[in-house]
Amino acid sequence: MIISIAHSKGGCGKSLLTLNLAPLFKDLVLIDLDTQNSISQINQFRERKFKIFQAKKQEDLFNILDDNEDKNIIIDCGGIDSDINRLAVVNSDIIIVPVKDNSFEILAFQRYIKVIEKLIEKNPDLKVLALLNNVHAQSKDFERLKKLVNKYEFIQLAKSIIRTRADYANCLELGTTVFEKDKTKKASKEIQKLYKEIKDLKNG
Ligand SMILES: Nc1ncnc2c1ncn2[C@@H]1O[C@H](COP(=O)(O)OP(=O)(O)OP(=O)(O)O)[C@@H](O)[C@H]1O
Ligand SMILES: [Mg+2]
């Protein structure tokens, strides 16, 4: 299974989600397309390293995908709309787009949906999961995002919600992830629920 975590907007949590999801997958390879190479840098602090490849050119990306056909792959895309990021998404089974529930973020998502629409023409099997990320612990009203998502039959809004929790980044700084640190804490449960949803989406 190939999953791209992608958005043309920077700072929405792609790298944080990539790393926190990673330990739940068996036979996993990560691909780092982030120009700042965040996940590769964070990986240096880890005792048990994730297998991460960097791809600077489209050819690199094709080679990594070819060499790891039998693996689970998560691609941490860069926060811009570029050819290589588009190529990653087109070659994926699932794209996860992290979105916050404020109006600027929803506008940015609306612009990115236009890009996704074009990519689906090239890969009609692509499953698109919009994921509320970095939302306040008490927020319950996501009507604006739901309304937008409902306009497009090719997008699903994830049932999982990833709230703003210090644990996500704190664990990464300590060379671990929320799931590896403590399976019972809230952040870890959110990630486990998301993982299950991804699995179900792939199989369903
Ligand atoms: N659920 C969350 N809870 C707390 N902080 C979060 C959450 N999601 C993201 N953040 C914070 O938001 C910032 C941006 O996250 P991250 O670097 O993962 O974004 P990105 O989409 O990979 O950015 P870029 O496009 O620049 O690569 C980081 O400081 C991260 O810790
Ligand atoms: Mg990043």
Side-chain angles (χ1 to χ4, degrees), residues 127-149:
K127 293 182 173 154
V128 183
L129 197 63
L131 172 68
L132 276 158
N133 176 46
N134 206 0
V135 299
H136 191 275
Q138 260 88 51
S139 295
K140 286 197 179 76
D141 173 15
F142 307 116
E143 284 314 309
R144 279 175 307 188
L145 184 62
K146 280 185 187 161
K147 223 169 136 187
L148 174 64
V149 165

Side-chain angles (χ1 to χ4, degrees), residues 93-111:
D93 301 294
I94 299 175
I95 170 182
I96 299 176
V97 189
V99 192
K100 238 180 155 174
D101 66 331
N102 69 44
S103 26
F104 285 124
E105 300 273 341
I106 289 172
L107 277 173
F109 181 39
Q110 212 163 356
R111 287 194 294 274

Side-chain angles (χ1 to χ4, degrees), residues 3-170:
I3 301 163
S4 282
I5 307 197
H7 196 324
S8 51
K9 187 177 179 304
C12 59
K14 299 179 291 292
S15 300
L16 176 137
L17 290 165
T18 299
L19 288 169
N20 276 291
L21 273 170
L24 285 85
F25 287 84
K26 291 203 175 72
D27 288 327
L28 182 75
V29 162
L30 299 178
I31 304 180
D32 184 0
L33 297 185
D34 183 333
T35 46
Q36 291 160 55
N37 297 126
S38 313
I39 63 168
S40 304
Q41 285 185 30
I42 290 171
N43 204 34
Q44 290 173 7
F45 305 125
R46 287 180 56 85
E47 221 163 275
R48 208 169 53 81
K49 304 256 188 286
F50 293 126
K51 195 166 187 183
I52 304 183
F53 294 99
Q54 292 179 4
K56 301 285 175 209
K57 301 184 301 242
Q58 298 190 18
E59 191 192 345
D60 301 339
L61 179 59
F62 277 129
N63 288 337
I64 300 164
L65 293 176
D66 278 352
D67 292 348
N68 293 283
E69 251 177 357
D70 52 338
K71 302 273 192 339
N72 284 310
I73 300 176
I74 303 181
I75 309 176
D76 178 27
C77 294
I80 48 161
D81 176 23
S82 68
D83 287 345
I84 196 163
N85 289 326
R86 285 188 181 206
L87 198 67
V89 174
V90 164
N91 284 282
S92 298
D93 301 294
I94 299 175
I95 170 182
I96 299 176
V97 189
V99 192
K100 238 180 155 174
D101 66 331
N102 69 44
S103 26
F104 285 124
E105 300 273 341
I106 289 172
L107 277 173
F109 181 39
Q110 212 163 356
R111 287 194 294 274
Y112 191 48
I113 289 173
K114 300 291 168 207
V115 174
I116 298 174
E117 236 169 351
K118 289 200 188 100
L119 303 182
I120 285 183
E121 285 171 18
K122 293 185 183 152
N123 175 6
D125 295 328
L126 180 67
K127 293 182 173 154
V128 183
L129 197 63
L131 172 68
L132 276 158
N133 176 46
N134 206 0
V135 299
H136 191 275
Q138 260 88 51
S139 295
K140 286 197 179 76
D141 173 15
F142 307 116
E143 284 314 309
R144 279 175 307 188
L145 184 62
K146 280 185 187 161
K147 223 169 136 187
L148 174 64
V149 165
N150 282 342
K151 282 201 223 163
Y152 301 91
E153 62 175 343
F154 58 82
I155 309 176
Q156 298 188 36
L157 181 60
K159 290 186 202 76
S160 319
I161 297 175
I162 307 293
R163 306 269 173 184
T164 305
R165 301 192 192 280
D167 272 358
Y168 290 114
N170 287 349

